[in-house]
Amino acid sequence: DGHLREVDLDQPEGFQRVEFRKQMRRIPGVANELQVGGTGNTGYRGDREMTVAMMQAQIDTLKRQLREAKQSAHRSAREDLARVLGRAPRPDSAEAPPVGVASFTTPAQTARLTADNLSSQLSRVRDLQRQIREYRVEIQKKYSIAAATLVFVLIGAPLAIRFPRGGVGMVIALSLLIFAVYYVGLIGGETLADEGYISAGWAMWAINVLMCSLGILWFIRMGNEVSTARGGGAWEERLDRARAWWEARRERAEGRA
């Protein structure tokens, strides 16, 4: 319970007093809930320290808060529309405007308060939706990273056989490339899912599907690989053929000269 005293800079001669039962103010950059206990509170867990069950329970709580926030925004919009149409509800009805709205003297001031309320409520809705998406991404990420170990084995086996000897540098280079692609795909998918562009499932599993498809393709081609006497594999054989073709072409050019 309290009241606000404000002076409109556009109308300095006016003065308004707004009474309220409960007031919510959005402060960006801080958590939505107060964590009691200070820095020594060891009971707090971030989304990466939570179990799947804990995150799912948090999602259920956020969904309930989201429904309440949407209902509050719809109710404020209906009340404002009713006032514009001259159908303001009775003070004792369930849809009566909040305490303090009637104290405004001009329709412009009433509309400004309604716009501020709607803006705050819509910001709350967007924050809740983003938190829900972030928890869903973390749930999918736990399973996706666990499955990635099998995907890397599926890729690593044919990669090692393809360059048994003499191609260690190529194996290392391809391994670093694969890890880089996986990391970029995971981080990029998480960002897109947090912003709501794609679903959490696709964001976390698309890179696994891509890598798994690549590993299956290499496994299929494992039986068709050939190797030279040096054991360098098909890549070195292609390099030898290219070198021989270049030498033969150079000798023909020198013979014509």
Side-chain angles (χ1 to χ4, degrees):
D1 295 328
H3 66 272
L4 298 176
R5 301 178 183 181
E6 298 180 351
V7 177
D8 191 353
L9 297 179
D10 297 333
Q11 299 177 356
E13 69 279 1
F15 175 79
Q16 60 187 20
R17 174 189 171 99
V18 183
E19 298 180 355
F20 56 85
R21 288 189 296 269
K22 182 175 70 172
Q23 184 187 40
M24 296 180 61
R25 287 190 174 273
R26 179 175 178 270
I27 304 178
V30 298
N32 292 324
E33 296 181 359
L34 175 63
Q35 300 295 334
V36 181
T39 58
N41 183 19
T42 58
Y44 172 75
R45 290 189 181 184
D47 51 4
R48 297 188 179 181
E49 292 80 21
M50 290 182 177
T51 63
V52 174
M54 295 171 64
M55 286 190 288
Q56 190 59 54
Q58 188 68 19
I59 289 176
D60 295 337
T61 301
L62 292 173
K63 284 183 177 180
R64 184 179 65 254
Q65 296 177 2
L66 180 62
R67 288 194 298 269
E68 294 174 355
K70 287 183 177 180
Q71 292 172 359
S72 177
H74 293 163
R75 184 167 55 252
S76 298
R78 289 195 302 268
E79 292 169 358
D80 184 64
L81 180 61
R83 285 192 295 271
V84 172
L85 298 178
R87 302 175 183 175
R90 299 188 307 274
D92 57 347
S93 66
E95 296 185 355
V99 175
V101 172
S103 62
F104 287 92
T105 57
T106 64
Q109 293 172 331
T110 303
R112 181 173 299 177
L113 175 65
T114 302
D116 292 340
N117 288 337
L118 284 175
S119 177
S120 176
Q121 292 164 0
L122 292 178
S123 296
R124 175 64 174 167
V125 168
R126 288 192 291 266
D127 290 342
L128 291 172
Q129 290 174 337
R130 182 180 178 85
Q131 292 181 53
I132 291 174
R133 292 194 298 266
E134 289 176 351
Y135 279 115
R136 286 175 174 171
V137 168
E138 287 298 326
I139 291 176
Q140 295 295 331
K141 186 193 294 184
K142 288 182 180 296
Y143 295 112
S144 175
I145 293 179
T149 57
L150 300 178
V151 174
F152 285 137
V153 170
L154 188 64
I155 294 179
L159 185 63
I161 294 176
R162 191 178 184 91
F163 306 100
R165 293 189 305 272
V168 178
M170 182 65 70
V171 173
I172 295 176
L174 288 178
S175 299
L176 293 177
L177 177 62
I178 290 172
F179 285 133
V181 171
Y182 183 84
Y183 179 78
V184 171
L186 193 68
I187 298 302
E190 181 178 3
T191 302
L192 292 176
D194 288 343
E195 296 296 333
Y197 293 111
I198 57 178
S199 64
W202 272 110
M204 295 293 99
W205 287 95
I207 188 64
N208 277 355
V209 172
L210 177 63
M211 292 293 183
C212 185
S213 302
L214 183 61
I216 293 174
L217 178 62
W218 284 359
F219 256 113
I220 294 174
R221 298 185 59 184
M222 279 175 59
N224 299 326
E225 295 297 334
V226 295
S227 61
T228 63
R230 293 179 301 168
W235 283 103
E236 288 198 6
E237 185 175 348
R238 296 189 186 100
L239 183 60
D240 291 338
R241 287 200 299 264
R243 188 181 297 113
W245 174 83
W246 176 257
E247 293 292 340
R249 184 174 180 179
R250 188 180 63 177
E251 290 176 358
R252 288 196 299 268
E254 291 177 352
R256 288 193 299 268

